[in-house]
Amino acid sequence: MLLGRSANEDGDAGIDYDTLVVAAGARHAYFGHDEWETLAPGLKTLEDATEIRARILTAFEAAEVEPDPDRRRAWLTFVVVGSGPTGVEMAGQIAEIAHETLRRDFRNIDPSGATILLVEAADRVLTGFPERLSARAARALERLGVTPVFDRAVVDLDSRSVTVQAPEGGVERIPARTAIWAAGVRASSLAGMLGEVTDASVDRAGRVAVGPDLTLPAHPEVFALGDMVQVHDAQGHPQPLPGVAPTAMQEGRYAAKAIRARLKGSVRPPFRYIDKGNVATIGRLKAVVDLKGLRLSGTLAWLAYLFVHLFYLVGLQNRLLVFIRWSASFLTRGRGARLITGQGPHTQLPGTHAEPISRQAEPERRTDREQAVAGGR
Ligand SMILES: Cc1cc2nc3c(=O)[nH]c(=O)nc-3n(C[C@H](O)[C@H](O)[C@H](O)COP(=O)(O)OP(=O)(O)OC[C@H]3O[C@@H](n4cnc5c(N)ncnc54)[C@H](O)[C@@H]3O)c2cc1C
């Protein structure tokens, strides 16, 4: 059956449609090492975010009760893989958590002594930005307490270490108990499925090819949009569009207008992407902005970043609510929810289930911290 137009052969109820719009996005890409996903989660959904928060907070808790200095150092070493906008923001946030949020929360460890490594295969952070802004972002990260590690590709991961390789082949194993993946995405599996049933080509990132009107070849009734597609022009050449929200939003608007136009019996001209520039945040009052020749860094760039993100939220109420929350969190430097949630083995303290704790740890102290974790702070 091609793109089920009614109940399928197995008897499952299908939904009839005149026009189908598919925009299933992308997930993290582990370059053939899917087994790394549990070791180094990526940030895509709210669930991912709470899992990553739990891992970061658990690592500090585990370091607090770990008497062995080498093992404590490994708990206090955080590796972020990939220095695009997501990796840069993630590393900056971990540094702020270590230096500010948790500064006074522990008795045995100094959280600000944590090592935060931002591992990047290229020779600079934020390769989508001009070199000058990349250099400024790297300096801002260093001031926050992040160490960018350039020209190193991650070649192996386990629950205790990250192994990186230099271009000339030297391999280094970094003891680290927390790794976070921000090194690339792969289109939703729906893209491959659509390619299979329509004979549309699928590229190495798993994106299905759509024509200049954002429909699948020979299927004008099926639009595919956003991170899961690669747009081709009328000559069949792929267009290098960035995998960012403005691309997906412009494509969404185009599809809506094309459908409306069809209902009126007319045809829209091909989709044209309008590049509005690039923004990336690093930390409090630190960002870089490249808006059509206007290149900013520091506080002004950070304010521009906030403005752009508020502006594109849907509805005035959402904008106001987010603005109030951001203002409160900025003024109080608050990170209210320091909850460790979830049941995964990575969110358990050493000595509770997954991880044998050293015999030298004080049992009654461990119990206190376990209670604190279970009840939140
Ligand atoms: C941490 C992070 C930060 C980012 N920050 C920025 C930024 O600051 N600026 C920027 O421009 N871009 C940013 N991006 C990129 C931006 O989020 C994406 O480019 C954009 O969301 C793509 O839109 P989309 O509609 O294609 O996919 P998505 O927004 O990913 O939406 C796809 C939706 O489809 C759902 N879905 C998937 N499969 C199915 C299925 N089989 N059935 C039903 N539903 C399904 C998914 O759950 C998801 O809700 C960021 C991305 C990440 C991960």
Side-chain angles (χ1 to χ4, degrees):
M1 187 181 68
L2 190 70
L3 296 176
R5 276 190 160 250
S6 59
N8 68 24
E9 285 145 8
D10 301 330
D12 297 335
I15 302 172
D16 287 351
Y17 61 83
D18 298 311
T19 303
L20 177 64
V21 180
V22 192
R27 284 291 297 169
H28 326 291
Y30 288 86
F31 310 122
H33 288 280
D34 289 348
E35 72 279 9
W36 290 354
E37 183 160 13
T38 51
L39 298 165
L43 177 56
K44 198 70 181 142
T45 63
L46 263 181
E47 289 73 26
D48 294 338
T50 50
E51 169 68 19
I52 289 171
R53 178 181 67 186
R55 288 187 188 212
I56 293 168
L57 297 178
T58 302
F60 285 103
E61 297 286 349
E64 171 77 350
V65 294
E66 176 57 69
D68 179 82
D70 289 338
R71 280 189 287 192
R72 189 186 313 136
R73 170 81 4 234
W75 279 115
L76 289 175
T77 301
F78 299 84
V79 177
V80 178
V81 188
S83 72
T86 304
V88 163
E89 184 171 353
M90 176 67 69
Q93 290 295 309
I94 297 174
E96 288 187 348
I97 288 171
H99 286 266
E100 290 177 16
T101 315
L102 300 180
R103 205 175 29 168
R104 296 197 188 86
D105 283 13
F106 295 92
R107 277 180 281 174
N108 298 331
I109 60 161
D110 173 11
S112 68
T115 302
I116 299 139
L117 304 174
L118 180 59
V119 175
E120 168 58 54
D123 60 358
R124 62 187 175 106
V125 301
L126 298 175
T127 52
F129 283 74
E131 282 189 25
R132 194 162 57 91
L133 288 182
S134 289
R136 287 192 185 171
R139 279 200 297 276
L141 282 165
E142 279 165 354
R143 280 198 295 275
L144 275 177
V146 175
T147 307
V149 180
F150 297 125
D151 298 314
R152 295 288 182 279
V154 169
V155 290
D156 199 13
L157 276 179
D158 60 40
S159 61
R160 286 160 192 272
S161 67
V162 176
T163 305
V164 296
Q165 187 170 32
E168 63 275 10
V171 166
E172 187 189 351
R173 183 177 170 276
I174 304 165
R177 300 299 301 245
T178 312
I180 294 161
W181 194 260
V185 292
R186 184 170 178 80
S188 153
S189 55
L190 264 185
M193 217 182 286
L194 286 178
E196 213 167 284
V197 293
T198 63
D199 284 335
S201 63
V202 174
D203 71 5
R204 284 177 53 203
R207 296 176 302 175
V208 65
V210 292
D213 61 353
L214 307 186
T215 64
L216 291 168
H219 286 276
E221 78 283 9
V222 184
F223 287 85
L225 318 170
D227 281 357
M228 63 175 276
V229 305
Q230 184 170 55
V231 181
H232 287 64
D233 64 17
Q235 286 72 45
H237 300 129
Q239 303 294 293
L241 305 186
V244 292
T247 310
M249 285 156 65
Q250 289 179 32
E251 290 175 356
R253 262 186 232 115
Y254 174 89
K257 286 181 184 165
I259 294 165
R260 276 214 302 263
R262 277 183 194 175
L263 293 174
K264 291 181 187 155
S266 58
V267 178
R268 297 277 306 167
F271 172 74
R272 206 163 58 83
Y273 173 66
I274 299 167
D275 183 359
K276 295 182 178 168
N278 248 336
V279 295
T281 183
I282 301 157
R284 192 181 163 84
L285 298 176
K286 293 179 183 67
V288 286
V289 165
D290 176 26
L291 296 176
K292 298 197 165 192
L294 175 67
R295 290 171 185 171
L296 302 172
S297 58
T299 307
L300 214 54
W302 185 76
L303 289 172
Y305 176 92
L306 295 191
F307 174 78
V308 167
H309 282 77
L310 281 178
F311 182 79
Y312 282 109
L313 286 180
V314 178
L316 182 67
Q317 195 180 346
N318 279 336
R319 282 181 207 142
L320 276 175
L321 281 175
V322 172
F323 178 71
I324 291 166
R325 263 199 203 155
W326 280 357
S327 304
S329 131
F330 178 81
L331 292 173
T332 61
R333 290 179 180 257
R335 288 175 195 270
R338 293 184 213 165
L339 295 174
I340 297 175
T341 53
Q343 300 299 317
H346 295 275
T347 54
Q348 285 161 349
L349 281 176
T352 54
H353 296 286
E355 180 72 32
I357 197 167
S358 159
R359 264 180 242 118
Q360 294 149 35
E362 307 159 54
E364 54 291 4
R365 177 162 180 72
R366 195 174 59 200
T367 306
D368 284 351
R369 296 208 76 79
E370 283 168 23
Q371 281 166 359
V373 171
R377 282 176 178 278

